[in-house]
Amino acid sequence: MSDAQLSPRRLAARIGVAPKTVERWLADAELVPHARNRTDACQALKVDEQMIWPRVVQDRVKTGHDREVVQAYPYRSACPSTVWGGLVDEATEQIYLAGYTNYFLWLEQPAFVETLRRKVEAGCRVRFLLGDPDGEVTRQRETVEDVALSVSTRVRITLEHLARLSASSSVEARFSSHEDAVNHVSLSVFRFDQQALVTPHLARLVGHDSPLLHLRRQGDGGMFDRFAEHAEELWSRGTPVSV
């Protein structure tokens, strides 16, 4: 606080809490403020949360049933198809598939069109965010990957499945904007209610050779929220797909 030239009272006024609240934070190192107050305090002090409350940051990245990181896989293909199927089956509110092509899902999940149709009929919101098969980033990625089954072909296969699905359901689909395409192709987020599977794409590797994180939301401002916000931002600027 001395570096920021803020007294406990001034810091309290800056973030909208009582001075005694800040005094309690200073007196008890084990006392952890609410996420919003932590964020406001760090902004006021111009420091990273790791500096003031390192335990909170450490807890977010530990693995286990009570942590945000349920499991980490060195390859997306190492994550069993039963994990994907289970997450789809358990989702009741929303399924948001924001891979660039989403192609592999139609191969790995039996009768996936029918499964998604039942989900929509049961009231679950189903969304697909895809890369534009005619976009410049798609062409660049095809050159980088240099594989027989091109990126644009994989996107179009998904569009064919969505055409079958949309004939009798209200599945939503969008292409990511041209401005967002680079961010989209480099990070896939697949959300199932309060759980997600996230794949950061490495260099020239195709999706199944890139690592995957299985996340479960445990609180505000954690890894789940950050990836979910990223995917929602891409969706907000996307272009509706007519299938």
Side-chain angles (χ1 to χ4, degrees):
M1 287 191 298
S2 59
D3 289 343
Q5 298 183 338
L6 289 175
S7 66
R9 182 174 295 277
R10 291 181 64 189
L11 176 61
R14 183 76 61 86
I15 62 180
V17 299
K20 288 187 178 297
T21 298
V22 175
E23 292 172 2
R24 286 197 296 270
W25 296 347
L26 295 172
D28 186 355
E30 296 298 315
L31 185 61
V32 177
H34 293 300
R36 182 71 264 172
N37 289 338
R38 294 198 307 270
T39 299
D40 291 344
C42 289
Q43 290 176 348
L45 297 172
K46 296 182 173 56
V47 296
D48 189 89
E49 190 173 3
Q50 172 74 36
M51 181 180 294
I52 308 177
W53 294 287
R55 184 167 59 85
V56 175
V57 177
Q58 292 166 2
D59 286 348
R60 286 178 186 163
V61 299
K62 290 180 180 179
T63 60
H65 71 280
D66 61 340
R67 307 296 184 185
E68 288 226 290
V69 180
V70 178
Q71 185 63 269
Y73 301 90
Y75 302 91
R76 192 190 72 197
S77 55
C79 179
S81 61
T82 53
V83 171
W84 292 85
L87 291 172
V88 172
D89 288 342
E90 293 169 9
T92 59
E93 297 179 0
Q94 70 164 302
I95 295 173
Y96 178 22
L97 304 172
Y100 199 79
T101 74
N102 295 297
Y103 161 77
F104 70 98
L105 291 164
W106 312 103
L107 301 180
E108 294 187 2
Q109 297 303 309
F112 196 43
V113 168
E114 296 304 319
T115 298
L116 293 181
R117 181 176 289 120
R118 288 196 301 271
K119 284 293 174 180
V120 172
E121 291 172 351
C124 183
R125 185 185 188 190
V126 176
R127 292 180 289 166
F128 281 79
L129 183 68
L130 301 166
D132 183 348
D134 298 316
E136 179 60 28
V137 169
T138 297
R139 288 191 289 272
Q140 293 173 357
R141 187 65 192 179
E142 289 178 339
T143 301
V144 168
E145 290 186 359
D146 191 24
V147 295
L149 192 63
S150 68
V151 176
S152 57
T153 298
R154 301 200 303 267
V155 172
R156 289 191 172 95
I157 289 173
T158 290
L159 291 174
E160 288 180 1
H161 286 290
L162 289 178
R164 293 170 51 204
L165 184 57
S166 63
S168 59
S169 68
S170 54
V171 170
E172 303 168 67
R174 294 183 183 182
F175 290 140
S176 54
S177 70
H178 296 305
E179 294 78 12
D180 289 329
V182 171
N183 292 327
H184 186 191
V185 78
S186 61
L187 177 66
S188 294
V189 179
F190 307 92
R191 179 175 180 176
F192 312 89
D193 289 348
Q194 300 302 297
Q195 298 191 62
L197 299 172
V198 177
T199 297
H201 295 273
L202 302 182
R204 299 178 181 274
L205 300 181
V206 294
H208 63 259
D209 283 334
S210 293
L212 179 143
L213 296 175
H214 181 180
L215 306 177
R216 179 186 291 114
R217 189 177 190 276
Q218 295 290 351
D220 294 340
M223 290 181 67
F224 178 96
D225 278 0
R226 300 198 68 188
F227 284 119
E229 289 165 3
H230 165 83
E232 291 297 339
E233 184 176 348
L234 298 188
W235 179 265
S236 71
R237 291 192 290 267
T239 304
V241 176
S242 178
V243 293

